[in-house]
């Protein structure tokens, strides 16, 4: 298997390719990206047998910014009369899988194939479990990805749960809660799914913790914080949804989010203000660097051309601020499914034990 197939947001193939190119170079593994504009897929080919697998093992999926999902495998042509037999043959050459995911690209062409993948789903699963290439009991085995580019061409690949997105195509199945004031609410929820391991939610987003939401109105992100029973300072000149204010957990401050300084340190700062990434990264560096919060989630909007470079610069600026302040923290970015022309950045102070809620002078 000489290839990694990566899913991304349509239009971000160049960024995904640039990132893979840089990371494979840093690991000393030769490879090249093959992209097609707006295809939502990037092929990363490593000509040397074994290199694609080595690359996948050496990279941490959660460090990739633009890839939503990935799999190691190969392309296969399948005749319309019998697609299943060649897929079974291809699977015999790979590892045993715990499950099979039928995928397409996240494009209109991809969506148009939903009927085909739906039709194939049951017979494929039956054939794969009968031949024992898929064994649901082997929960530690990789997932088998069958990504249909067309009715006659499919990528047969594998990903390991510990080093890949937990959803087919990297698309989480999240629903806008009925009483949330805006769809944006999903961004914060998805960010938590991505940046905070599930078994740490109760300690890191605990009842009674404090949070500041900059650019909070109408309150989609605040809703998520309130839903975790946190106390929230919502900073925005715009109006907050009355239902949120009725919770008694929200203090609304009408002020400029860039000028706002909390009276006491808080556990979380989140920010969804639409502004230049350089301003957002400076804000983030200030909050963490001055010890105003322990964890932060902020969006970097990317309306410019050099989007990959811009994100790298933002991360460097944040890191430089933290270094200057002598703070050790993890800094990570991800283009979430709910992110459009933007990425979400998460920072967490690592010596969290020494973080205390205290008054700020
Ligand atoms: C994308 S909306 C936020 C949506 C919100 N996260 C939600 O889930 O409902 C951006 C908000 O930032 C606010 N905003 C823009 N510039 C700001 C600033 N300098 N300070 C505070 N808020 C600002 C706007 O008023 C707007 O309500």
């Amino acid at each position: 298997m000489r290839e990694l197939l990566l899913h991304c947001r349509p239009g971000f193939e160049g960024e995904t390719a640039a990132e893979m190119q840089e990371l494979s170079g840093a690991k000393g593994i030769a490879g090249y990206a093959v992209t097609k504009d707006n295809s939502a897929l990037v092929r990363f080919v490593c000509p040397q047998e074994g290199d694609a697998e080595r690359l996948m093992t050496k990279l941490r999926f959660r460090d990739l910014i633009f890839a939503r999902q990935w799999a190691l495998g190969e392309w296969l042509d399948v005749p319309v009369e019998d697609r299943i037999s060649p897929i079974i043959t291809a699977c015999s050459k790979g590892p045993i899988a715990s499950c099979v995911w039928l995928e397409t690209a996240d494009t209109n062409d991809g969506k148009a194939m939903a009927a085909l993948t739906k039709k194939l789903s049951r017979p494929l699963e039956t054939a794969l479990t009968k031949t024992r290439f898929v064994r649901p009991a082997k929960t530690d085995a990789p997932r088998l990805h069958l990504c249909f580019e067309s009715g006659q061409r499919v990528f047969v690949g594998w990903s390991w749960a510990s080093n890949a997105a937990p959803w087919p195509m990297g698309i989480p199945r999240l629903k806008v809660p009925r009483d949330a004031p805006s769809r944006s609410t999903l961004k914060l929820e998805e960010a938590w799914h991505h940046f905070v391991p599930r078994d740490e939610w109760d300690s890191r987003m605990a009842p009674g913790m404090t949070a500041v939401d900059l650019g909070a109105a109408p309150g989609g992100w605040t809703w998520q914080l309130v839903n975790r029973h946190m106390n929230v300072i919502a900073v925005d000149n715009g109006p907050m949804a009355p239902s949120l204010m009725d919770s008694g957990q929200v203090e609304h401050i009408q002020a400029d989010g860039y000028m706002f300084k909390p009276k006491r340190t808080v556990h979380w700062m989140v920010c969804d203000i639409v502004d230049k990434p350089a301003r957002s990264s400076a804000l983030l560096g200030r909050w963490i660097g001055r010890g105003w919060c322990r964890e932060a989630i902020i969006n970097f909007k990317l309306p410019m051309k050099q989007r990959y470079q811009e994100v790298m610069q933002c991360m460097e600026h944040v890191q430089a601020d933290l270094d200057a302040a002598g703070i050790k923290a993890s800094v990570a970015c991800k283009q979430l499914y709910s992110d459009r022309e933007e990425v979400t950045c998460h920072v967490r102070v690592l010596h969290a034990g020494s973080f205390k809620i205290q008054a700020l002078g």
Side-chain angles (χ1 to χ4, degrees):
M1 291 184 272
R2 293 171 207 262
E3 190 166 327
L4 296 176
L5 183 68
L6 301 111
H7 290 257
C8 66
R9 183 174 187 84
F12 283 80
E13 299 79 14
E15 285 72 15
T16 311
E19 188 177 20
M20 283 302 290
Q21 203 70 68
E22 190 166 317
L23 292 173
S24 64
K27 299 288 178 200
I29 295 178
Y32 60 90
V34 182
T35 60
K36 194 166 134 209
D37 286 353
N38 296 309
S39 64
L41 291 175
V42 171
R43 297 173 52 200
F44 197 78
V45 183
C46 299
Q48 189 79 29
E49 182 62 46
D51 268 4
E53 187 170 359
R54 233 160 33 91
L55 182 60
M56 198 186 205
T57 331
K58 285 192 166 202
L59 298 181
R60 288 193 313 176
F61 178 77
R62 65 192 157 91
D63 290 341
L64 300 181
I65 299 170
F66 291 97
R68 285 180 182 167
Q69 183 58 286
W70 66 355
L72 165 76
E74 265 166 20
W75 288 95
L76 184 70
D77 289 318
V78 289
V80 279
E81 317 79 63
D82 175 18
R83 296 181 178 95
I84 294 181
S85 305
I87 291 176
I88 299 290
T89 308
C91 288
S92 69
K93 296 176 192 146
I96 304 290
S98 59
C99 62
V100 53
W101 287 353
L102 269 63
E103 299 175 320
T104 63
D106 182 26
T107 58
N108 289 338
D109 285 351
K111 286 185 188 107
M113 271 189 311
L116 174 70
T117 51
K118 198 167 170 212
K119 188 181 95 181
L120 286 175
S121 164
R122 184 59 68 81
L124 265 169
E125 250 174 58
T126 309
L128 285 161
T129 35
K130 231 176 163 174
T131 49
R132 312 250 309 140
F133 294 130
V134 169
R135 296 184 204 167
K138 267 181 81 82
T139 47
D140 56 343
R143 287 95 49 120
L144 169 63
H145 296 249
L146 300 175
C147 181
F148 286 83
E149 184 192 65
S150 71
Q152 281 148 281
R153 195 161 160 78
V154 56
F155 183 83
V156 182
W158 289 264
S159 78
W160 283 259
S162 57
N163 197 23
W167 307 285
M169 299 157 68
I171 301 180
R173 303 267 162 242
L174 301 177
K175 276 207 185 105
V176 182
R178 218 163 20 95
D179 47 348
S182 70
R183 271 196 73 80
S184 299
T185 194
L186 291 185
K187 271 196 227 174
L188 185 57
E189 188 184 352
E190 191 185 345
W192 281 338
H193 278 288
H194 182 75
F195 294 115
V196 185
R198 203 64 182 87
D199 58 353
E200 292 178 22
W201 279 39
D202 286 347
S203 57
R204 285 167 64 181
M205 286 105 72
M209 279 186 168
T210 48
V212 169
D213 183 356
L214 303 174
W221 288 27
T222 296
W223 187 93
Q224 290 290 343
L225 297 158
V226 166
N227 192 44
R228 301 287 313 170
H229 304 285
M230 290 193 230
N231 297 314
V232 187
I233 298 172
V235 183
D236 200 310
N237 279 318
M240 294 293 288
S243 55
L244 266 180
M245 299 312 298
D246 292 346
S247 70
Q249 286 164 251
V250 183
E251 180 188 355
H252 182 193
I253 296 184
Q254 291 184 296
D256 181 349
Y258 288 98
M259 305 301 286
F260 179 79
K261 177 183 172 185
K263 290 199 177 82
R264 295 162 70 79
T265 53
V266 293
H267 295 98
W268 281 89
M269 183 276 275
V270 298
C271 174
D272 190 21
I273 295 175
V274 181
D275 209 324
K276 292 196 177 70
R279 267 198 108 191
S280 307
S281 52
L283 177 82
L284 178 59
R286 188 159 66 244
W287 272 75
I288 299 279
R290 295 186 185 173
W292 293 355
C293 65
R294 187 169 74 183
E295 255 180 279
I297 284 178
I298 188 166
N299 274 155
F300 295 147
K301 313 287 173 186
L302 303 170
M304 66 292 296
K305 278 219 167 79
Q306 303 285 316
R307 298 181 292 205
Y308 177 60
Q309 287 83 343
E310 186 73 34
V311 175
M312 299 316 281
Q313 260 177 29
C314 284
M315 289 174 79
E316 277 164 25
H317 285 162
V318 173
Q319 193 59 58
D321 285 348
L322 302 188
D323 291 346
I327 288 183
K328 283 207 180 343
S330 64
V331 181
C333 271
K334 188 80 189 175
Q335 187 173 42
L336 304 170
Y337 177 64
S338 344
D339 284 335
R340 291 169 179 267
E341 301 272 298
E342 63 198 324
V343 293
T344 298
C345 183
H346 171 252
V347 178
R348 183 187 185 213
V349 177
L350 291 176
H351 44 89
S354 62
F355 180 89
K356 287 193 176 55
I357 294 297
Q358 57 191 16
L360 292 167

